[in-house]
Amino acid sequence: LLDTEPDLRDAPDAVTLSRLDGHVRFEDVTFAYDAGRPVLMDIDLDVAAGETVALVGPSGAGKSTLVSLIPRFYDPQDGRVTVDGYDLRSVTRQSLRTQIASVSQEVHLFNATIRENIRYGRLDASDEAIEDAARAANAHGFIADLPDGYDAEVGERGVKLSGGQRQRVAIARALLRDARLLLLDEATSSLDSASEALVQEALGRLVEGRTTVVIAHRISTVQDA
């Protein structure tokens, strides 16, 4: 597996992006996982820097596929995706992806401490910066109540935390990353009302000043877009 060569590679003359403004454009984008069966057809989308755009629709409509083109997990068969005017195929993937943060329905936590899971957003972050991010994510309260606080082990895939707690740790990690582009994929869809309120409040802080693409079924998630 480690020796497998990726299908997508950086172009030999790929540009290293400096800090982005966050202007994202889809220009006549068509994409298919299987030839002849397009998931997206002739998509035009212009997301201004700092704007929040919501994608609402039934499962299988292509929302997550569209969002997965922004970090260049796939390339479109036709058209192009640009950020600040750069075709994504002309920039290095690392310089692009370091400026993207995502929070999804399925949170990825490692079998490590809460501190380490948040610090994964920015490896050189101080303990103070981690705590500040946790406070902004409405996570500091429950973390402080744990016997080991920020040094509490979360278990495999965060099994020792509730769904709402896992989401808030993921939001703290995204806040710490301080990325210009934010991708939210059903970030509150599996939560109860009380947890959703806390997560929504934290997401409100997270999207400030960032270009954000939100996928949701609940109107409460997209009403501010």
Side-chain angles (χ1 to χ4, degrees), residues 112-123 125-131 134 143 148-154 169 173 176:
T113 66
I114 290 176
R115 188 189 314 278
E116 290 167 321
N117 271 285
I118 296 175
R119 181 174 275 134
Y120 190 64
R122 180 160 55 86
L123 297 178
S126 67
D127 288 349
E128 183 181 5
I130 289 170
E131 186 171 318
I143 295 171
D148 294 321
Y150 283 84
D151 293 318
E153 297 278 343
V154 303
V169 169
R173 185 163 62 193
L176 190 67

Side-chain angles (χ1 to χ4, degrees), residues 4-222:
T4 300
E5 292 293 336
D7 294 329
L8 298 182
R9 300 172 184 238
D10 290 346
D13 57 349
V15 175
T16 299
L17 290 171
S18 56
R19 184 161 176 83
L20 295 172
D21 289 329
H23 180 198
V24 177
R25 288 195 66 183
F26 284 68
E27 302 174 4
D28 297 322
V29 169
T30 295
F31 174 79
Y33 295 102
D34 302 313
R37 299 177 59 190
V39 178
L40 304 172
M41 287 187 66
D42 303 326
I43 299 295
D44 284 294
L45 180 64
D46 194 330
V47 188
E51 185 179 16
T52 297
V53 169
L55 306 175
V56 181
S59 297
K63 303 184 300 297
S64 294
T65 296
L66 187 146
V67 168
S68 71
L69 297 179
I70 297 174
R72 201 187 168 213
F73 293 150
Y74 305 97
D75 283 336
Q77 280 79 28
D78 292 300
R80 67 178 193 153
V81 183
T82 68
V83 58
D84 288 2
Y86 290 95
D87 188 318
L88 296 190
R89 289 169 288 204
S90 70
V91 304
T92 63
R93 289 167 298 166
Q94 182 175 2
S95 68
L96 171 67
R97 293 175 183 172
T98 55
Q99 302 192 65
I100 297 175
S102 65
V103 181
S104 64
Q105 179 179 357
E106 185 65 30
V107 174
H108 296 283
L109 297 185
F110 301 95
N111 189 9
T113 66
I114 290 176
R115 188 189 314 278
E116 290 167 321
N117 271 285
I118 296 175
R119 181 174 275 134
Y120 190 64
R122 180 160 55 86
L123 297 178
D124 62 350
S126 67
D127 288 349
E128 183 181 5
I130 289 170
E131 186 171 318
D132 287 343
R135 289 182 187 277
N138 284 342
H140 178 76
F142 85 79
I143 295 171
D145 288 340
L146 297 172
D148 294 321
Y150 283 84
D151 293 318
E153 297 278 343
V154 303
E156 196 70 43
R157 303 185 71 183
V159 68
K160 295 182 180 180
L161 303 179
S162 71
Q165 290 171 340
R166 289 195 295 269
Q167 288 290 36
R168 282 176 277 164
V169 169
I171 292 169
R173 185 163 62 193
L175 281 160
L176 190 67
R177 192 171 186 80
D178 192 24
R180 293 296 300 139
L181 301 175
L182 177 62
L183 309 177
L184 303 178
D185 191 349
E186 299 284 6
T188 64
S189 64
S190 62
L191 305 180
D192 58 50
S193 301
S195 294
E196 183 187 12
L198 288 169
V199 170
Q200 280 295 145
E201 185 179 297
L203 288 174
R205 299 190 187 102
L206 179 56
V207 303
E208 289 180 3
R210 294 177 172 84
T211 304
T212 307
V213 181
V214 186
I215 297 173
H217 289 130
R218 292 185 182 181
I219 193 64
S220 59
T221 308
V222 300

